[in-house]
Amino acid sequence: MQKAIIGKKVGMTQIFDESGKVIPVTVVEAGPCVVTQKKTVETDGYTAVQLGFGDIKEAKLTKPEAGHLKKAGVGAKKYLKEFKLDSAADMNVGDVVKADTFAAGDKIDVTGISKGHGYQGVVKRHGAGRTPMTHGGGPVHRHAGSMGASSHQSRIFPGKIGAGQMGNEQVTIENLDVVKVDKNNKVKNVETGISKNPQKASGRNPQKASARG
C-alpha cells in the first residue's frame, strides 16, 4: 500500500541492531500532517490528497494560502505537498497522518532539497582535474580550460560540465529502510518559536531563547 508523509531532517545518529552492528541513521521529524485538500476524478480528473505540515503564524502566509487553508478548516501550515495515493479516495480533509503510518522494515523513497554550496568551480562541482602546476601554468590551475570547437559547431553542447550553482536542488533517494519509528511528538510553541525538545538549547533554557528572540 502506498504511504506518504512530510517531514524535516533533525540530524544524524547511529543505532545498533541485534547482532551489534552499528547502523548510521537519519533522524526525521515526520508529521503529524493534516489533509488540507482532496482531489477527485469528478472535479480534477485524478485522485490525490494534499498534506500540510509545520505550524506557523497565519501572518506569514500569503492571502491565497491563508484562504485555501481556512476553507479546509485547518490551521496555518508551512509546507503543502500533493500525493497521488491508492488510498486517497478514503481520506478526507482534516484527517491526520502520523509517523506510525510507517513501521520498521518499510522501504521508502525520500525526496528533499540538497544542501546548497553556492557558486562553485568545475573542480569542486564536477571533480575536474587541475592544469599542471609547473611550466608556466599561470593563475588558472582550477579553471575549466578550453571546451569549445573552433570552426564546426562553434558552440558548447548542452550538458557540458562547468562552474555554477552547486546543490540546492531536488534529490530523490530510493529504497531506504525505516529502521525505527519513534512516536514521541516534540511540541514547539509557534508564537515564540521555542522548542520543548530537551535536545535543543531553547528547550533546556527557554528564558535565554526568548531573550535572544
Side-chain angles (χ1 to χ4, degrees), residues 5-10 28-36 50-56 69 74-81 83 97 185:
I5 199 169
I6 308 174
K8 66 178 181 179
K9 180 178 177 179
V10 177
V28 178
E29 180 186 340
C33 299
V34 61
V35 178
T36 57
Q50 183 189 75
L51 300 182
F53 170 72
D55 296 328
I56 59 172
L69 294 172
V74 299
K77 300 297 178 182
K78 187 175 183 180
Y79 303 103
L80 298 176
K81 181 67 177 178
F83 298 94
V97 180
N185 184 22

Side-chain angles (χ1 to χ4, degrees), residues 8 53-67 69 75-80 188-194 213:
K8 66 178 181 179
F53 170 72
D55 296 328
I56 59 172
K57 297 179 182 179
E58 186 175 347
K60 293 186 176 181
L61 298 176
T62 63
K63 288 186 178 180
E65 291 172 340
L69 294 172
K77 300 297 178 182
K78 187 175 183 180
Y79 303 103
L80 298 176
K188 182 178 180 180
N189 190 321
V190 179
E191 296 299 324
T192 62
I194 299 174

Side-chain angles (χ1 to χ4, degrees), residues 48-199:
V49 290
Q50 183 189 75
L51 300 182
F53 170 72
D55 296 328
I56 59 172
K57 297 179 182 179
E58 186 175 347
K60 293 186 176 181
L61 298 176
T62 63
K63 288 186 178 180
E65 291 172 340
H68 171 67
L69 294 172
K70 184 176 290 186
K71 180 181 178 182
V74 299
K77 300 297 178 182
K78 187 175 183 180
Y79 303 103
L80 298 176
K81 181 67 177 178
E82 184 178 293
F83 298 94
K84 294 182 179 180
L85 305 175
D86 296 336
S87 59
D90 301 327
M91 304 174 70
N92 297 304
V93 175
D95 291 350
V96 178
V97 180
K98 299 182 179 180
D100 56 7
T101 303
F102 298 86
D106 288 351
K107 292 283 188 179
I108 60 173
D109 298 339
V110 177
T111 300
I113 304 299
S114 62
K115 186 176 181 179
H117 296 274
Y119 187 93
Q120 301 296 335
V122 290
V123 175
K124 182 177 178 69
R125 191 181 185 208
H126 296 289
R130 302 179 310 184
T131 59
M133 299 298 290
T134 58
H135 300 291
V140 292
H141 304 294
R142 296 174 67 89
H143 287 199
S146 176
M147 62 177 63
S150 58
S151 57
H152 182 57
Q153 303 301 338
S154 298
R155 65 187 180 93
I156 299 175
F157 289 98
K160 178 67 175 177
I161 66 172
Q165 167 71 35
M166 180 178 177
N168 193 31
E169 58 185 356
Q170 180 172 298
V171 179
T172 299
I173 306 298
E174 299 179 339
N175 293 326
L176 295 176
D177 294 314
V178 176
V179 179
K180 181 181 179 181
V181 176
D182 190 349
K183 300 177 185 178
N184 292 332
N185 184 22
K186 306 301 182 183
V187 180
K188 182 178 180 180
N189 190 321
V190 179
E191 296 299 324
T192 62
I194 299 174
S195 173
K196 294 184 179 179
N197 186 353
Q199 302 271 349

